[in-house]
Amino acid sequence: SLYLPISDLSYDSILSMVGNMSGDNKTRTDNFQVEFPEEFASKTYQTKEQIALELFRDNNLLGLIRAKRDEQKKYCLQYFEQTGLAVKDYSSAIVDLGGTRKCQQSINKVLADGGYCSVYGYYLEVQTGRKKLNRKDLYDAVLFKEYYPSNPSLSYLNRMSILSEHYFSVVPEHRTSHYQIVAGK
């Protein structure tokens, strides 16, 4: 749900959002949450690169994505304001069981674009290949994945964090694909 709001709409960012599944363009461009024209949506057997290039080069299609991105960025920021995450006079924090810190950086990009303070991150575990530390994406972690080879018993915690993540984020949807306003919230 954060990929589109933070997208710069470059060819690479569009390519990264095109799905890998086979089928028509409508299925493969679901991440954009845009109702594309039938002549584009019904095309089949295009590669990810062909789809991304067509989206990037066609000003009408790119305009649809840009409008959806701007709407989603607005809704995302309103959600952060509603939950108290978006503040201007002090820093707030997020708690995440594990990951690469991409979510924290995405949240901070939306907040910075809105003129709000960045969030601090608390993690049970950070993965190898995590996003590099910069001054506005500060965090603490209990475990660092690169310590696992020196202590094999730590590898079991990785499995536990997957279970915990599912327990704490049980929702009827398989993913949160976009933000919307329901009953004024």
Side-chain angles (χ1 to χ4, degrees):
S1 58
L2 288 169
Y3 293 144
L4 187 57
I6 66 166
S7 177
D8 59 4
L9 297 186
S10 66
Y11 168 78
D12 289 335
S13 68
I14 290 171
L15 177 63
S16 72
M17 291 184 65
V18 175
N20 288 322
M21 68 285 288
S22 61
D24 59 14
N25 285 359
K26 182 174 176 52
T27 305
R28 298 183 74 192
T29 56
D30 180 54
N31 287 332
F32 295 101
Q33 298 296 317
V34 170
E35 205 55 50
F36 291 113
E38 184 61 31
E39 62 271 9
F40 170 79
S42 63
K43 288 183 183 178
T44 56
Y45 305 112
Q46 285 187 301
T47 65
K48 283 181 68 158
E49 292 77 12
Q50 288 171 322
I51 293 169
L53 196 56
E54 186 170 350
L55 290 172
F56 184 68
R57 286 187 173 164
D58 187 314
N59 286 333
N60 292 329
L61 299 177
L62 194 59
L64 292 171
I65 296 170
R66 182 175 288 113
K68 188 64 168 186
R69 183 215 38 203
D70 294 347
E71 173 196 69
Q72 286 301 295
K73 188 178 230 175
K74 180 182 84 172
Y75 288 164
C76 184
L77 197 55
Q78 287 175 340
Y79 176 71
F80 290 164
E81 290 167 347
Q82 173 186 312
T83 60
L85 193 63
V87 290
K88 292 189 177 192
D89 50 355
Y90 61 90
S91 186
S92 53
I94 60 168
V95 176
D96 200 349
L97 292 171
T100 60
R101 300 185 46 256
K102 187 173 184 178
C103 187
Q104 180 192 12
Q105 288 186 338
S106 299
I107 289 169
N108 281 339
K109 176 160 180 23
V110 172
L111 291 171
D113 290 350
Y116 292 100
C117 295
S118 60
V119 296
Y120 195 88
Y122 291 99
Y123 293 85
L124 172 63
E125 170 198 48
V126 287
Q127 303 286 328
T128 51
R130 63 188 165 273
K131 299 297 177 184
K132 291 186 176 167
L133 182 65
N134 65 48
R135 63 182 178 84
K136 63 178 192 181
D137 297 317
L138 299 175
Y139 74 99
D140 268 321
V142 176
L143 299 168
F144 294 82
K145 187 86 174 226
E146 46 277 320
Y147 295 163
Y148 289 10
S150 63
N151 188 343
S153 63
L154 290 176
S155 66
Y156 294 107
L157 288 172
N158 185 38
R159 293 185 187 121
M160 189 231 22
S161 69
I162 293 168
L163 177 63
S164 300
E165 186 94 26
H166 286 289
Y167 175 79
F168 286 110
S169 62
V170 172
V171 293
E173 299 85 17
H174 294 291
R175 66 186 173 114
T176 305
S177 60
H178 62 283
Y179 290 88
Q180 60 186 340
I181 294 177
V182 177
K185 293 187 175 201

